[in-house]
Amino acid sequence: RLPRNVAAIYLRPLRRTPTHGLPVCDLQLRSFSVRQLTLAADFAMRAAYYLHLPAKGPVPLPRITERWTVPRSNFVHKKSQENFERVTVRRLVQIQDGDGEVVKAWLGFLMKYCVSGVGMKANLWEYEGVGERKGVEEMVKEAEQGMEGRWNLFGR
């Protein structure tokens, strides 16, 4: 019989349940190889579980197919052409109800230790409370006061 931590490798990654369902991060993984992509998505899901981040996915996204035709030789032999095709496979992992600092640590961990040949693109969202707007207004006033002398010289 295998130990628990070894047996967990052969099972699907564990998941945490989100409390509110607010999306914090969308991570899109892209690769030309399906094997590397599934390995990277599995790695991202396991890392999210151990960092206590509720994650959904990996959701398969539509494939991107690029095709182009190139002549095999020049001038007279135009009729003999060669066709090429490149298919990009994508997966989406969404983090919900996570702390911004933990999500950034998760992304940094993935950037450092993820599978080679897999590209990543992340969209992050930050949410603020209602009472925090006062701080933003004060920052705008300070910036306007600092720029008053400079705006007088503008256009000269």
Side-chain angles (χ1 to χ4, degrees):
R1 181 177 165 152
L2 294 172
R4 268 190 165 155
N5 57 352
V6 176
I9 295 171
Y10 298 103
L11 303 174
R12 289 180 55 199
L14 299 171
R15 300 166 193 262
R16 303 215 183 260
T17 56
T19 52
H20 303 292
L22 291 173
V24 177
C25 176
D26 276 349
L27 177 69
Q28 189 180 109
L29 302 166
R30 294 179 174 204
S31 178
F32 302 125
S33 170
V34 177
R35 272 187 166 176
Q36 289 177 332
L37 188 66
T38 54
L39 181 65
D42 186 71
F43 179 74
M45 293 295 292
R46 290 179 194 272
Y49 174 78
Y50 288 113
L51 286 172
H52 299 280
L53 292 171
K56 286 175 106 180
V59 178
L61 295 174
R63 295 176 178 215
I64 299 173
T65 306
E66 298 173 275
R67 293 185 181 107
W68 57 93
T69 303
V70 179
R72 287 189 185 182
S73 65
N74 54 2
F75 198 52
V76 182
H77 308 287
K78 168 81 169 82
K79 290 183 180 176
S80 113
Q81 295 183 347
E82 208 167 356
N83 296 318
F84 294 98
E85 179 179 73
R86 181 170 58 193
V87 178
T88 306
V89 189
R90 301 182 295 167
R91 297 284 184 270
L92 177 72
V93 176
Q94 186 179 52
I95 302 293
Q96 296 179 341
D97 300 334
D99 185 35
E101 296 298 320
V102 179
V103 170
K104 289 176 185 172
W106 175 68
L107 288 172
F109 180 75
L110 291 181
M111 290 285 291
K112 187 171 183 182
Y113 295 109
C114 200
V115 181
S116 64
V118 177
M120 292 186 282
K121 181 174 84 171
N123 293 331
L124 296 170
W125 293 281
E126 293 184 8
Y127 299 95
E128 293 183 359
V130 177
E132 295 179 18
R133 184 174 179 191
K134 295 176 186 173
V136 174
E137 289 176 354
E138 292 172 2
M139 288 172 43
V140 169
K141 288 180 183 176
E142 290 175 7
E144 286 176 354
Q145 290 173 356
M147 292 297 290
E148 281 182 9
R150 294 184 182 177
W151 282 114
N152 294 335
L153 301 174
F154 184 72
R156 286 190 179 178

